[in-house]
Coordinates of all heavy atoms in Angstrom, one line a residue:
R896 N 5.4 -1.2 -3.9 CA 5.1 -2.5 -4.6 C 5.8 -2.5 -6.0 O 6.4 -3.5 -6.3 CB 3.6 -2.7 -4.7 CG 3.2 -4.0 -5.3 CD 1.7 -4.2 -5.1 NE 1.4 -4.5 -3.7 CZ 0.3 -4.1 -3.0 NH1 -0.6 -3.4 -3.6 NH2 0.2 -4.4 -1.7
L968 N 22.0 1.9 -0.1 CA 20.8 1.1 -0.3 C 21.2 -0.4 -0.6 O 22.2 -0.6 -1.3 CB 20.0 1.6 -1.4 CG 18.8 0.8 -2.0 CD1 17.6 0.9 -1.0 CD2 18.5 1.2 -3.4
K1034 N -8.6 -5.3 -19.5 CA -9.3 -6.4 -20.1 C -9.4 -7.6 -19.1 O -10.4 -8.3 -18.9 CB -8.6 -6.9 -21.3 CG -9.3 -8.0 -22.0 CD -8.6 -8.4 -23.3 CE -9.3 -9.6 -24.0 NZ -8.5 -10.0 -25.3
G1055 N -28.9 -3.5 -6.6 CA -29.9 -4.3 -7.3 C -29.7 -5.8 -7.0 O -30.7 -6.5 -6.9
I1081 N -11.2 -17.1 3.9 CA -11.8 -15.8 4.0 C -11.8 -15.3 5.4 O -11.4 -14.1 5.7 CB -13.2 -15.8 3.4 CG1 -13.1 -16.1 1.9 CG2 -13.9 -14.5 3.6 CD1 -14.4 -16.4 1.2
G1104 N 5.1 12.8 19.3 CA 6.1 13.4 18.4 C 5.5 13.7 17.0 O 4.3 14.0 16.9
D1118 N -3.4 12.4 22.5 CA -4.1 13.5 23.0 C -5.6 13.3 22.9 O -6.4 13.6 23.9 CB -3.7 14.8 22.3 CG -2.3 15.3 22.6 OD1 -1.8 14.8 23.6 OD2 -1.8 16.1 21.9

Side-chain angles (χ1 to χ4, degrees):
R896 186 165 288 145
L968 171 78
K1034 182 178 179 181
I1081 294 170
D1118 291 342

